[in-house]
Amino acid sequence: MANAMIPSNHPRATVLRWKIAPPNRWDLIAFPLIFGVLALLVIGAKSTFGPIEAIKTAPISLDPAMLPGYAVRTVLRMLAAMVASLLFTLIYGTLAAKSKRAETILVPVLDVLQSVPILGYISFTVIFFMNLFPGRVLGAELASIFAVFTSQAWNMAFSFYQSLRTVPLDLDEASRAFRFSSWQRFWRLEAPFAVPGLVWNMMMSMSGGWFFVVASEAISVGDEQITLPGIGSYVALAIERQNLGAIGWALLAMTVVIVCYDQLMFRPLVVWADHFRSEQSAAQTLPHSWFVDVLRRARFVRLAARPASIAMNWTLRARLLNASVPRPPVVETTVRGRAGDVVFYAAVVLAAVFGASVIIRYIASELNWGDVLTVVRLGAYTLLRVAVLIALASLVWVPIGVTIGLRPKLAESIQPLAQFLAAFPANLLFPFAVIMVVRFHLNADIWLSVLMILGTQWYILFNVIAGTTAFPTDFLEAAGNFQIHGWKWWRNVILPGIFPYYVTGAITASGGSWNASIVAESVSWGKTHLAAHGLGAYIADTTAAADYPRILLGIVVMSIFVIFFNRVLWRRLYAYGERHFRLD
């Protein structure tokens, strides 16, 4: 009787309804999916805590029956790297966007980090991770996860930084009028505004991890080689043994895995990100996900997620960090501020000079000016390839990305295909590239460059799609009402609207191209080895020979080329877009 007197809108009434209502048919679909995925991840993670001898005594097998287990191990590493990349993005991108002093250091450092080859990271960090957990698989797993992290984090950080720098001024003023604290402003304005671009860059990062997964699963400790179970090591063994059948099975396993995490993770994220579009009128066509529909209709799943949802909403809305309202940026510079800038920049210059002197002394102990000039010449060859490929990728993928971004239904069907193509490891094309070049006596300097496009074009495509999906629908409707069509529509409406996203994609595509050159300029198929003239082939060959002075020289020269290219071209375009193409 007491329960009958409770009003229907009372919180306890909701609890009673949940107690009485049985699970529905959607729960019978949702729970097996959720617990099945969790069980696979737990099984895959369990073996990471075993002794390192377990890997050494169980070599990689090309038996297709082993691929499901290998796939779980590879995906687990990539998801762990994705979580680390997301945390890095939120911290690093926020510091770079919020602090002028931090931006002076963090943005050039980010340019360098995205250009340093994956092989360079593995060469200098594997010993550290192996010593953290001596004799355990976990040390090698952390080294592999860190290598994957270095292929995922940079474009996400650039995207988040770009979004925070281009938050519309009217929304910024509204947050101050509502007296948001810094914590509330970040989670209720800035982070939501960055979500659409960040989600698409997370997809690109996940696919980018596949591109270098072969290198990340082969760990060298001195003269000892440790091969972690995974699709990457399976592909490497198939290439070594020239087994085309095994490569076909690896492609099938990759396809299944990509479709699974696209449908269970990224498609729901795209649907969720659509809620954060900056516009006044609703889009006519919304993205759709069958898995989201299942979760929304599953009664017990919603009940189980309710406490976490309440706790998260309370945390994000709490007035933390500072209770005072952040003041608008002040143009005037105080005497104390100028003095602080002088001290800060002087410290940065001294640290840079000290670091450069250490590197120069180490390189000079083994090499001479002739070696430096040779590496600079090889770097110029690779720079030319990068510039040409970015130009070609822009001409092809900007129109395609806009077309996909404006049509959510098309994006829904194209998204898994784009992720698969972006994830396609260049290693799997080595047989065809080597056979074609040798059979027809082609120029390796030209035709191996085609492999680099795999590390270039997708950053541009995914960022253009992100910019187009974030473009306000009311702007498109206004352009239609004013009869703006054809080239005039491209020039005055959509290209300015997606320009900041395109520049972000081009910057990360530049870094991706330099990284891809390590794989694309030096290829092997069985005993046949081809190399193009370029810095990527130089670093790949010196890494294989464990020639650390030359590895460091190659990385330093590559970093200088990337910083110069970004500062001369992309950073100026970035600043131009920030000034002229904000959605204000």
Side-chain angles (χ1 to χ4, degrees):
M1 179 66 66
N3 291 339
M5 301 298 295
I6 298 175
S8 60
N9 60 348
H10 193 277
R12 191 180 166 195
T14 304
V15 175
L16 289 173
R17 286 198 298 271
W18 284 117
K19 288 181 179 179
I20 297 173
N24 56 23
R25 56 176 178 168
W26 302 105
D27 288 300
L28 300 179
I29 300 175
F31 270 102
L33 283 173
I34 294 173
F35 285 106
V37 171
L38 292 177
L40 286 175
L41 296 179
V42 170
I43 292 172
K46 183 179 179 181
S47 55
T48 64
F49 297 95
I52 198 71
E53 285 75 17
I55 293 179
K56 298 177 182 178
T57 57
I60 300 299
S61 170
L62 293 184
D63 183 359
M66 302 296 293
L67 273 172
Y70 291 164
V72 171
R73 295 288 294 273
T74 295
V75 171
L76 191 63
R77 295 180 193 112
M78 296 176 71
L79 289 177
M82 177 61 65
V83 172
S85 298
L86 189 57
L87 292 175
F88 172 86
T89 294
L90 294 177
I91 298 171
Y92 198 100
T94 303
L95 288 174
K98 296 283 190 180
S99 170
K100 188 67 177 176
R101 294 177 182 174
E103 182 185 27
T104 305
I105 300 176
L106 297 182
V107 173
V109 168
L110 199 59
D111 287 336
V112 172
L113 290 175
Q114 71 159 343
S115 68
V116 176
I118 301 294
L119 295 177
Y121 287 112
I122 294 177
S123 302
F124 292 104
T125 60
V126 62
I127 301 297
F128 169 76
F129 286 107
M130 293 297 293
N131 288 336
L132 284 180
F133 300 94
R136 314 300 295 180
V137 177
L138 185 58
E141 291 283 358
L142 290 177
S144 177
I145 290 170
F146 181 77
V148 176
F149 163 84
T150 61
S151 67
Q152 293 182 343
W154 320 133
N155 61 298
M156 292 170 58
F158 269 122
S159 171
F160 197 70
Y161 165 78
Q162 170 254 320
S163 297
L164 295 188
R165 292 296 299 266
T166 56
V167 172
L169 294 179
D170 52 345
L171 296 180
D172 178 72
E173 293 171 356
S175 70
R176 300 183 191 282
F178 283 115
R179 305 185 65 81
F180 284 176
S181 68
S182 296
W183 178 264
Q184 292 172 321
R185 184 172 183 272
F186 179 79
W187 289 112
R188 301 182 68 179
L189 170 60
E190 295 167 338
F193 180 77
V195 161
L198 183 59
V199 167
W200 281 93
N201 273 278
M202 288 172 64
M203 291 187 221
M204 181 62 241
S205 293
M206 197 71 172
S207 298
W210 283 102
F211 194 84
F212 287 98
V213 75
V214 175
S216 69
E217 290 181 351
I219 307 297
S220 297
V221 183
D223 297 330
E224 186 178 13
Q225 184 82 8
I226 299 175
T227 303
L228 295 170
I231 293 182
S233 52
Y234 184 94
V235 169
L237 183 61
I239 292 174
E240 181 183 339
R241 296 183 180 177
Q242 296 180 286
N243 191 328
L244 289 175
I247 290 178
W249 283 111
L251 277 176
L252 178 60
M254 280 183 56
T255 303
V256 172
V257 168
I258 290 171
V259 170
C260 287
Y261 70 61
D262 172 77
Q263 294 298 306
L264 299 179
M265 183 172 71
F266 284 123
R267 195 66 210 162
L269 285 176
V270 169
V271 173
W272 174 70
D274 191 69
H275 297 300
F276 302 109
R277 294 179 58 171
S278 176
E279 57 187 2
Q280 296 179 357
S281 59
Q284 296 180 354
T285 307
L286 299 177
H288 175 265
S289 168
W290 65 268
F291 187 55
V292 171
D293 291 340
V294 169
L295 294 180
R296 286 173 177 170
R297 295 171 182 175
R299 186 176 295 124
F300 276 23
V301 170
R302 287 190 288 120
L303 177 62
R306 199 171 186 183
S309 176
I310 293 173
M312 181 174 294
N313 286 333
W314 181 89
T315 303
L316 299 185
R317 293 173 181 270
R319 186 175 290 275
L320 302 177
L321 292 184
N322 63 324
S324 61
V325 181
R327 293 177 295 179
V330 179
V331 178
E332 298 83 4
T333 304
T334 63
V335 175
R336 179 180 297 179
R338 286 196 297 268
D341 289 341
V342 170
V343 173
F344 175 78
Y345 293 122
V348 171
V349 170
L350 290 175
V353 169
F354 174 77
S357 65
V358 172
I359 293 173
I360 291 172
R361 284 199 302 270
Y362 179 72
I363 294 175
S365 64
E366 299 286 341
L367 309 177
N368 53 44
W369 282 108
D371 296 306
V372 175
L373 293 177
T374 298
V375 174
V376 170
R377 176 172 53 84
L378 294 175
Y381 292 152
T382 302
L383 175 62
L384 179 61
R385 291 190 183 98
V386 170
V388 170
L389 291 175
I390 288 179
L392 293 176
S394 300
L395 291 174
V396 172
W397 292 108
V398 168
I400 294 176
V402 170
T403 302
I404 295 174
L406 291 177
R407 294 166 174 81
K409 289 293 184 183
L410 178 62
E412 185 175 343
S413 57
I414 291 293
Q415 181 179 315
L417 176 62
Q419 287 190 70
F420 173 77
L421 293 176
F424 194 92
N427 313 68
L428 299 184
L429 293 180
F430 287 179
F432 309 101
V434 172
I435 291 171
M436 293 293 290
V437 171
V438 173
R439 176 79 188 325
F440 297 101
H441 306 286
L442 302 176
N443 189 334
D445 287 329
I446 296 175
W447 293 99
L448 290 184
S449 302
V450 177
L451 297 177
M452 285 177 60
I453 199 71
L454 296 176
T456 303
Q457 57 192 357
W458 308 115
Y459 292 97
I460 294 175
L461 174 64
F462 278 73
N463 276 278
V464 169
I465 294 175
T468 306
T469 56
F471 193 74
T473 304
D474 42 341
F475 283 18
L476 296 173
E477 293 174 351
N481 292 335
F482 284 111
Q483 300 296 312
I484 302 176
H485 302 292
W487 169 243
K488 189 176 181 181
W489 179 82
W490 283 92
R491 184 186 63 194
N492 297 331
V493 180
I494 198 65
L495 289 181
I498 66 171
F499 188 80
Y501 291 86
Y502 165 75
V503 174
T504 299
I507 291 174
T508 52
S510 175
S513 297
W514 286 99
N515 253 315
S517 69
I518 312 299
V519 178
E521 290 182 350
S522 180
V523 302
S524 298
W525 175 240
K527 300 298 183 182
T528 305
H529 180 79
L530 296 176
H533 292 88
L535 191 53
Y538 177 87
I539 294 176
D541 294 341
T542 54
T543 300
D547 190 341
Y548 290 101
R550 285 180 169 80
I551 294 174
L552 184 59
L553 176 61
I555 291 174
V556 168
V557 171
M558 181 177 283
S559 301
I560 291 173
F561 269 105
V562 170
I563 291 176
F564 175 79
F565 193 49
N566 286 357
R567 289 292 162 181
V568 169
L569 178 62
W570 298 121
R571 285 297 159 199
R572 294 184 179 183
L573 291 177
Y574 208 106
Y576 180 80
E578 188 178 309
R579 291 193 304 268
H580 295 87
F581 300 131
R582 299 168 64 99
L583 295 177
D584 296 330

